[in-house]
Amino acid sequence: MTDSDALRASAKFPGATMASLQNGKMLYEEKCSTCHGLKNPAAYNEEEWRKHVRRMAPKAKIDKPTEELILQYVVTMCGK
Ligand code: HEC
């Protein structure tokens, strides 16, 4: 991830930083890879990611802050 990713993240998610993005990436890899392979962030747009992450959160048994960090990461990296 680069500074420009962090900049894009903070435009959409107030308070997002390089550190929170990295945290989101780590959580995504840890929590979202157990049942299926990791989906490429670029495979969906923001609206689709919002739906998928909301729907998958109970499956992954994650709390709201974790869900937000994962959402921040995949939406920022989807590039659309
Ligand atoms: C307990 C198992 C489990 C965990 C953990 C899990 N998933 Fe899934 N996921 C599924 C199953 C089963 C499907 C396929 C059926 C469906 O779409 O409901 C799926 C489908 C998906 C899809 C594709 C939907 C589509 O229609 O193309 C996405 C995107 C996804 N998961 C993202 C995530 C993310 C992000 C996380 C972490 C927050 C996650 N998953 C964690 C079980 C899981």
Side-chain angles (χ1 to χ4, degrees):
M1 272 169 301
T2 63
D3 286 343
S4 86
D5 296 324
L7 209 63
R8 255 185 308 122
S10 67
K12 198 164 284 181
F13 301 92
T17 59
M18 185 68 107
S20 68
L21 268 186
Q22 271 159 357
N23 206 358
K25 178 177 198 283
M26 192 191 72
L27 290 165
Y28 177 58
E29 289 170 354
E30 186 182 310
K31 308 288 184 186
C32 305
S33 63
T34 49
C35 301
H36 45 68
L38 283 176
K39 316 272 180 193
N40 186 338
Y44 305 101
N45 65 25
E46 174 173 353
E47 195 190 331
E48 290 163 337
W49 269 123
R50 287 188 181 275
K51 282 189 211 143
H52 289 318
V53 172
R54 200 178 312 130
R55 199 161 57 84
M56 291 292 143
K59 288 193 198 288
K61 299 190 170 60
I62 51 176
D63 60 13
K64 201 71 194 170
T66 302
E67 184 182 331
E68 286 299 317
L69 284 168
I70 290 173
L71 185 70
Q72 186 188 109
Y73 169 70
V74 291
V75 165
T76 300
M77 301 316 284
C78 81
K80 48 195 163 222

